[in-house]
């Protein structure tokens, strides 16, 4: 009778240990997916930031006296570069919004300077920027999907008990402010 009780206790202990290991690995894998998805956003943000100097140079050629607008773009690009080095999703969103506003002002200059619309370089940069925006939207959605999966795991039993022990916490969604 005692040996049967010991065997049952041993089987339960092994089952709990296996459950913990499986849960830990599952949560850590989901956490890594979120980190990878955030890095994908950073890649696209960096790609977009790399297009900005060429866009500024092209606009500067036609609208040299628009220094305030071009300076705003440079400041916003620098802020975005700093934000991608941090772990804060909210900081990335704010910097991205600031850059979006600055780019919108630069692109609005084409109505004041019609010769910009005839510049192949400007038109190519606009196409590259639009392509990057599409990739960035996909990267944001992929990140939010990964966050949703992780947060769902953390909120459900039995993973919610393992999450604290694994050091995995809920993550914030990537939310762009509505305009």
């Amino acid at each position: 009778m005692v040996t049967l009780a010991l065997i049952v206790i041993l089987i339960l202990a092994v089952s709990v240990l296996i459950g913990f290991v499986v849960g830990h690995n599952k949560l850590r894998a989901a956490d890594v997916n979120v980190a990878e998805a955030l890095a994908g956003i950073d890649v696209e943000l960096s790609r977009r930031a790399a297009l900005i100097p060429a866009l500024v140079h092209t606009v500067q050629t036609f609208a040299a006296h628009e220094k305030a607008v071009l300076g705003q773009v440079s400041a916003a690009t620098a802020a975005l570069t700093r934000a991608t080095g941090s772990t804060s999703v909210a900081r990335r969103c704010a910097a991205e919004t600031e850059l979006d506003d600055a780019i919108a002002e630069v692109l609005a200059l084409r109505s004041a300077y019609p010769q910009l619309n005839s510049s192949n370089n400007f038109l190519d940069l606009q196409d590259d920027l639009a392509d990057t925006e599409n990739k960035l939207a996909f990267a944001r959605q992929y990140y939010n999907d990964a966050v949703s999966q992780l947060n769902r795991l953390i909120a459900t039993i039995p993973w919610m008990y393992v999450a604290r022990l694994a050091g995995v916490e809920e993550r914030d969604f990537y939310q762009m402010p509505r305009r």
Side-chain angles (χ1 to χ4, degrees):
M1 186 69 166
V2 173
T3 55
L4 180 64
L6 286 175
I7 291 173
V8 169
I9 290 173
L10 183 61
I11 289 172
L12 285 174
V14 169
S15 297
V16 168
L17 180 63
I18 289 172
F20 175 78
V21 169
V22 168
H24 182 275
N25 289 344
K26 189 172 190 168
L27 286 164
R28 294 302 298 162
D31 197 42
V32 167
N33 284 343
V34 170
E36 287 174 355
L38 189 57
I41 291 174
D42 286 347
V43 165
E44 294 306 324
L45 289 174
S46 297
R47 181 174 182 232
R48 184 171 65 167
L51 292 171
I52 303 303
L55 182 67
V56 167
H57 178 71
T58 301
V59 171
Q60 208 168 27
T61 303
F62 294 98
H65 62 282
E66 299 286 352
K67 296 213 183 284
V69 172
L70 300 176
Q72 183 182 2
V73 171
S74 296
T77 302
L80 183 64
T81 301
R82 286 189 304 275
T84 56
S86 76
T87 58
S88 170
V89 172
R91 190 170 169 201
R92 275 181 182 79
C93 292
E96 189 176 348
T97 300
E98 183 182 338
L99 184 59
D100 286 348
D101 293 343
I103 290 172
E105 287 190 37
V106 169
L107 294 177
L109 290 175
R110 69 182 166 198
S111 63
Y113 300 93
Q115 64 270 33
L116 273 173
N117 287 327
S118 63
S119 167
N120 286 336
N121 193 23
F122 182 75
L123 296 174
D124 289 344
L125 286 168
Q126 272 189 295
D127 289 343
D128 288 346
L129 208 51
D131 181 51
T132 301
E133 291 298 329
N134 290 335
K135 289 178 181 177
L136 189 53
F138 177 78
R140 284 187 209 111
Q141 182 61 46
Y142 180 72
Y143 171 81
N144 283 339
D145 289 345
V147 167
S148 176
Q149 182 180 8
L150 175 68
N151 290 350
R152 196 175 311 115
L153 280 173
I154 290 173
T156 58
I157 294 174
W159 314 122
M160 64 191 317
Y161 302 113
V162 178
R164 277 183 256 147
L165 297 173
V168 177
E169 297 177 354
E170 281 191 1
R171 297 283 192 103
D172 293 330
F173 287 97
Y174 203 99
Q175 297 176 344
M176 292 299 296
R178 302 280 180 224
R179 293 175 204 232

